């Protein structure tokens, strides 16, 4: 330990806490904690080890401070974020870029020295009178080739508690890391709080990423996506680390899909927020390894994947017994769960789309709430926020996959990209090859902005691989890394594109929420060469007879030829318009886009034009040739 850090730590920490910190031989860690103390000036410091006692203390303090309140069900609590703090805040999330470095202009950025001065200025003295918690956690299973040790200092017991449900404890792992071992550091302060323990200075909210030091600062916010270091703050650092080391860090779920004869096949899926990602990962009868962040490595020619996390911070809106029976049941069962920004009445949580009538009054993110209550601008406040969430550990779920903690991960057979596309892409298709999938489905992923990000909803945008907000290297380089990764694999995962949001010309959705299960089962059959496909201009699509088997089998409903034709007709004008948007994006925003991106898009255009030449603007799937096997 350096003498300066030692002086600060000895002065500020109790002998017990000092002993816990000194047991870790990592000068970067000591310097980081000492700096956080000097800057934020907490009244006390609690160093949290992996012991049940320390973790129980965090849980207890979150209740005592009022950051969480008990609900009626054993182990359940609720937390509220302020009205201006209900989602990830892109505007104030910035990369701190040294003068001699460049990032894609699509990324929100600020000169490093300027940003550091600003955010450190806001953090100065921010923890006065409060306790700072120091937590050690691992991204990826602890003690594996995938793991990344992380330390977070925070003055929020809610944040510290959430991390317990979401990540693997790593104090013991830290003790074994050799001196000089690299780690990610996160410093968070909720800033000034009101009587209800809610951050008040939301105009001074800042999330600044100092990638040159693997450190992220976050202040005047409590929303987990802005504060829990290991979530999206870390992902921005991990993308850079993966780039340096030749693996991939992705914004993807990880799940096991059961097939005939009891086999299990692993899939990963990238969906922008609020596009059905967690719901897919939690499909009944399948197993879940993760719902948000996955790491892929080439191990002996096989793509192996782990979940960076160990819990779920999921959107609760529309979780109901019909569409999401597994999550719904888990959320009604005693056990540790934090609900955020729901409506509470008589100790019970309520949310939008839960499948029952909601109370007319209660407590929500606006304080005491009653039907018809308006905000300062006269806008009606909903009973629960659309981005209300639940936080649970995967280990508490019945459908958790037994391989969750496997240090070598699971072999990955399929990758799914899903956007929110009302007009163009069919509900499910398989790419012709790795490059086509990465470019036409991943890099072309389009969505509309949703409530999970502050700002206007419904604005169409490209969100490549659904990870664009977190790509901290040039976007073209990121796409290139994906292309390259597949080339090194002996049998790369198949790539699929899904679209749960296709609508007809009247604006009606063409699929029911549960239909996604059929698409997933079809993919499983494709991986094993047990379903044929038709070769459409945008990819390989299912044959009618396979869907006519799967729909009744899985969902107990029939699937007509008319359904099929409506859903799988290739809409040439809409697809050409999509290609134009994607090309324009890569042409203008991504100066280092690999040439293959434009080649693959051009080939797709040619196939579409050819189909139009033969069959017109709207091409029924029945025109496409059948491909046997893969
Ligand atoms: C997302 O919005 O993609 C999430 C939740 O997974 S957050 O933690 O806010 O990023
Ligand atoms: Mn996410």
């Amino acid at each position: 330990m350096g003498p300066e850090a030692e002086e600060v730590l000895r002065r500020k920490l109790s002998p017990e806490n000092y002993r816990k910190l000194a047991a870790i031989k990592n000068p970067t860690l000591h310097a980081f904690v000492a700096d956080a103390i000097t800057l934020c000036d907490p009244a006390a410091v609690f160093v949290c080890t992996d012991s049940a006692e320390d973790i129980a203390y965090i849980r207890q303090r979150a209740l005592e401070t009022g950051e969480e309140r008990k609900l009626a069900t054993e182990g359940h609590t609720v937390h509220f974020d302020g009205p201006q703090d209900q989602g990830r805040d892109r505007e104030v999330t910035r990369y701190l870029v040294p003068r001699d470095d460049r990032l894609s202009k699509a990324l929100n950025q600020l000169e490093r020295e300027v940003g550091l001065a600003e955010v450190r200025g806001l953090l100065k003295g921010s923890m006065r009178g409060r306790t700072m918690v120091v937590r050690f956690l691992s991204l990826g299973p602890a003690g594996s080739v995938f793991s990344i040790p992380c330390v977070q200092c925070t003055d929020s017991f809610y944040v510290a508690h959430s991390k317990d449900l979401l990540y693997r404890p790593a104090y013991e792992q830290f003790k074994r890391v050799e001196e000089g071992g690299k780690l990610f550091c996160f410093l968070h302060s909720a800033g000034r709080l009101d009587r209800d323990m809610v951050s008040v200075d939301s105009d001074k909210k800042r999330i600044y990423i100092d990638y040159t030091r693997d450190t992220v600062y976050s202040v005047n916010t409590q929303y987990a996506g802005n504060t829990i270091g290991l979530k999206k703050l870390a992902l921005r650092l991990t993308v850079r680390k993966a780039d340096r080391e030749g693996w991939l860090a992705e914004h993807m779920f990880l799940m096991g899909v059961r097939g005939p004869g009891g086999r299990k096949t692993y899939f990963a899926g990238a969906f922008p927020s609020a596009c059905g990602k967690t719901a897919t990962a939690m499909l009944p009868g399948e197993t879940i390894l993760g719902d948000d962040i996955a790491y892929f490595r080439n191990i002996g020619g096989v793509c192996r994947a782990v979940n960076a996390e160990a819990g779920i911070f999921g959107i609760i809106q529309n979780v109901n017994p019909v569409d999401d029976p597994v999550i719904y049941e888990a959320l009604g069962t005693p056990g540790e769960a934090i609900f955020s920004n729901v409506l509470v009445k008589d100790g019970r949580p309520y949310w939008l789309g839960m499948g029952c009538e909601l109370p007319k009054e209660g407590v929500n993110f606006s304080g005491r709430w009653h039907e018809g209550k308006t905000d300062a601008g006269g806008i009606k406040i909903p009973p629960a926020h659309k981005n209300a969430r639940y936080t649970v550990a995967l280990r508490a779920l019945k459908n958790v996959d037994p391989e969750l903690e496997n240090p070598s991960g699971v072999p990955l057979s399929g990758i799914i990209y899903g956007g929110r596309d009302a007009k163009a892409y069919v509900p499910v298709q398989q790419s012709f090859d790795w490059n086509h999938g990465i470019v036409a489905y991943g890099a072309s992923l389009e969505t509309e902005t949703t409530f999970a990000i502050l700002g206007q909803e419904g604005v169409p945008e490209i969100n490549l691989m659904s990870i664009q907000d977190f790509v901290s290297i040039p976007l073209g380089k990121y796409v290139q890394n994906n292309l390259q990764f597949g080339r090194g694999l002996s049998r790369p995962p198949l790539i699929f594109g899904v679209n749960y949001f296709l609508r007809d010309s009247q604006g009606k959705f063409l699929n029911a929420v549960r239909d996604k299960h059929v698409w997933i089962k079809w993919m499983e059959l494709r991986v094993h060469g047990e379903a044929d496909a038709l070769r459409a201009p945008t990819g390989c699509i299912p044959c009618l007879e396979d869907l006519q088997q799967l729909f009744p089998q899985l969902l107990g409903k029939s699937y007509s030829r008319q359904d099929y034709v409506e859903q799988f007709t290739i809409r040439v004008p809409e697809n050409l318009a999509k290609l134009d948007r994607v090309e324009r994006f890569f042409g203008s925003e991504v100066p280092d886009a690999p040439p293959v991106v434009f080649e693959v898009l051009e080939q797709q255009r040619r196939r579409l034009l050819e189909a139009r030449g033969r069959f017109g603007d709207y091409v029924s799937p029945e025109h496409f040739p059948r491909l046997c096997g893969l």
Side-chain angles (χ1 to χ4, degrees):
M1 188 181 306
E4 279 169 39
E6 183 170 353
E7 195 275 314
V8 174
L9 296 175
R10 276 201 191 279
R11 184 159 44 81
K12 206 73 191 198
L13 270 58
S14 69
E16 165 78 1
N17 282 297
Y18 180 83
R19 187 187 52 72
K20 289 184 200 170
L21 203 60
I24 299 172
K25 307 281 176 245
N26 189 316
T28 313
L29 166 76
H30 298 138
F32 169 69
V33 178
D35 177 58
I37 292 172
T38 309
L39 182 63
C40 304
D41 196 20
V45 178
F46 177 65
V47 177
C48 183
T49 70
D50 303 345
S51 76
E53 205 185 325
D54 281 7
I55 290 164
Y57 176 74
I58 299 272
R59 207 179 291 132
Q60 186 55 31
R61 293 290 297 150
L63 290 169
E64 284 168 6
T65 58
E67 290 173 272
E68 289 176 37
R69 305 173 203 178
K70 268 194 177 167
L71 293 172
T73 304
E74 181 59 32
H76 290 193
T77 61
V78 62
H79 162 83
F80 293 112
D81 301 303
Q84 311 305 325
D85 195 19
Q86 293 285 323
R88 267 192 284 120
D89 201 331
R90 274 182 180 169
E91 288 293 304
V92 296
T93 304
R94 300 191 178 104
Y95 293 95
L96 303 183
V97 186
R99 279 206 192 146
D100 54 358
D101 200 5
R102 288 267 166 283
L103 289 187
S104 290
K105 64 178 180 187
L107 298 175
N108 197 2
Q109 52 199 285
L110 189 62
E111 196 193 306
R112 179 169 181 268
E113 296 305 320
V114 174
L116 274 182
E118 184 192 1
V119 74
R120 290 180 65 90
L122 291 168
L123 281 160
K124 200 166 170 44
S126 59
M127 297 186 188
R128 267 177 211 144
R130 277 185 229 157
T131 299
M132 180 174 99
V133 182
V134 187
R135 290 220 64 173
F136 308 93
L137 300 137
S138 170
L139 283 165
S144 101
V145 60
F146 289 96
S147 35
I148 303 173
C150 298
V151 56
Q152 180 155 15
C153 294
T154 176
D155 59 2
S156 164
F157 283 98
Y158 157 69
V159 169
H161 178 203
S162 299
K163 281 187 294 203
D164 208 52
L165 299 175
L166 293 173
Y167 302 98
R168 286 114 174 161
Y171 176 75
E172 293 305 322
Q173 186 194 345
F174 260 88
K175 284 205 296 191
R176 287 191 296 270
V177 172
E178 74 286 11
E179 296 215 10
K182 288 245 194 294
L183 56 142
F184 287 177
C185 301
F186 306 98
L187 173 56
H188 164 251
S189 170
R192 219 155 50 85
L193 299 170
D194 66 11
R195 276 210 324 245
D196 291 327
M197 296 301 284
V198 171
S199 299
V200 283
D201 293 321
S202 53
D203 55 323
K204 298 197 188 92
K205 191 192 315 177
R206 298 289 182 274
I207 301 113
Y208 283 3
I209 301 136
D210 182 9
Y211 59 83
T212 63
R213 298 282 185 281
D214 280 339
T215 298
V216 184
Y217 300 89
S218 146
V219 63
N220 294 320
T221 171
Q222 291 165 301
Y223 174 71
N226 297 328
T227 58
I228 296 183
L230 283 81
K231 211 164 192 25
K232 296 307 174 9
L233 313 188
L235 182 55
R236 293 166 167 107
L237 302 178
T238 316
V239 166
R240 293 182 74 88
K241 182 174 165 69
D243 172 53
R244 288 193 301 271
E245 298 174 358
W247 50 281
L248 298 178
E250 296 298 323
H251 188 202
M252 290 193 189
F253 72 62
L254 211 50
M255 73 186 294
V257 179
R258 293 188 201 279
R263 74 182 171 214
K264 196 195 293 166
T265 306
Y266 290 103
F267 286 83
F271 295 63
S273 309
C275 289
K277 190 174 171 197
T278 307
T280 307
M282 286 285 250
L283 281 168
E286 319 299 355
T287 59
I288 183 167
L289 284 107
D291 86 320
D292 204 29
I293 300 165
Y295 298 162
F296 301 166
R297 279 180 183 263
N298 176 339
I299 300 182
V302 176
C303 175
R304 298 196 67 99
V306 296
N307 179 7
E309 309 184 286
I312 303 184
F313 173 60
I315 295 174
I316 203 166
Q317 180 178 216
N318 294 334
V319 170
N320 63 59
V322 177
D323 296 328
D324 293 297
V326 186
I327 318 177
Y328 190 84
E329 195 200 323
L331 294 179
T333 309
E336 214 172 336
I338 308 172
F339 294 76
S340 49
N341 306 318
V342 292
L343 173 68
V344 178
K345 167 90 173 140
D346 298 332
R348 304 249 161 240
Y350 295 89
W351 55 90
L352 305 175
M354 72 187 287
C356 68
E357 210 179 310
L358 303 190
K360 306 273 180 258
E361 45 104 30
V363 173
N364 75 1
F365 66 94
S366 73
R368 282 225 67 82
W369 174 88
H370 56 84
E371 199 169 59
K373 181 177 176 184
T374 52
D375 64 16
I379 309 278
K380 261 201 189 149
I381 301 172
H385 197 274
K386 286 184 189 177
N387 198 28
R389 297 215 172 214
Y390 60 90
T391 304
V392 290
L394 280 161
R395 60 179 178 268
L397 301 178
K398 278 200 275 204
N399 57 330
V400 65
D401 193 280
E403 299 297 312
L404 175 64
E405 298 302 334
N406 186 337
S408 314
V410 294
L412 197 69
S413 298
I415 294 175
I416 308 165
Y417 293 105
R420 185 178 279 266
D421 173 357
K423 292 186 179 159
Y425 269 172
V426 292
V428 64
Q429 51 189 345
Q430 181 196 329
S431 73
F432 301 122
D433 55 31
W434 180 265
N435 280 1
H436 177 240
I438 293 293
V439 173
Y441 304 159
S444 304
L445 211 152
E446 284 187 296
T447 183
E448 293 159 13
T449 50
T450 63
F451 52 79
I453 293 155
L454 302 185
Q456 205 191 337
E457 282 180 43
V459 180
E461 61 175 12
I462 293 198
N463 185 346
L464 60 85
M465 277 80 164
S466 94
I467 199 176
Q468 205 163 306
D469 281 353
F470 316 114
V471 178
S472 45
I473 57 175
L475 288 176
K477 181 89 192 310
Y478 168 79
V479 174
Q480 178 60 34
N481 290 350
N482 268 265
L483 292 165
Q484 193 63 34
F485 186 77
R487 289 183 202 131
L489 299 169
S490 46
R491 192 176 169 226
L494 301 187
I495 302 183
F496 299 90
V498 295
N499 176 20
Y500 301 158
F501 301 92
L502 187 66
R503 297 178 192 239
D504 67 12
S505 52
Q506 265 75 57
K508 189 171 102 354
F509 285 115
L510 287 180
N511 290 104
V513 176
R514 292 282 299 277
D515 291 2
K516 58 170 87 69
H517 208 162
V518 170
W519 316 144
I520 301 289
K521 289 292 201 199
W522 178 75
M523 294 176 202
E524 198 274 343
L525 295 174
R526 289 292 294 162
V527 165
H528 297 279
E530 292 173 13
D532 290 347
L534 304 182
R535 191 181 160 91
T538 53
C540 304
I541 62 173
C543 300
L544 174 61
E545 67 269 24
D546 291 322
L547 298 183
Q548 284 186 325
Q549 263 196 11
L550 288 167
F551 268 90
Q553 227 175 52
L554 269 164
L555 306 177
K557 66 179 185 183
S558 61
Y559 188 76
S560 69
R561 192 183 153 268
Q562 192 193 338
D563 293 331
Y564 179 63
V565 171
E566 260 195 314
Q567 294 167 17
F568 288 91
T569 284
I570 299 295
R571 306 172 179 193
V572 176
E574 286 82 351
N575 272 285
L576 289 174
K578 184 186 190 80
L579 281 174
D580 289 346
R581 288 193 297 273
V582 175
E583 257 177 12
R584 216 176 309 127
F585 172 79
F586 277 93
S588 63
E589 302 287 323
V590 191
D592 64 328
V596 66
V597 168
F598 299 102
E599 287 159 24
V600 168
L601 295 175
E602 190 46 38
Q603 285 157 7
Q604 184 123 317
R605 176 175 287 112
R606 254 187 277 132
R607 286 189 299 267
L608 284 161
L609 291 174
E610 196 207 330
R612 180 165 75 181
R614 293 180 61 196
F615 307 111
D617 275 348
Y618 295 91
V619 190
S620 164
E622 288 160 344
H623 288 303
F624 302 124
R626 192 181 183 102
L627 299 167
C628 295
L630 287 179

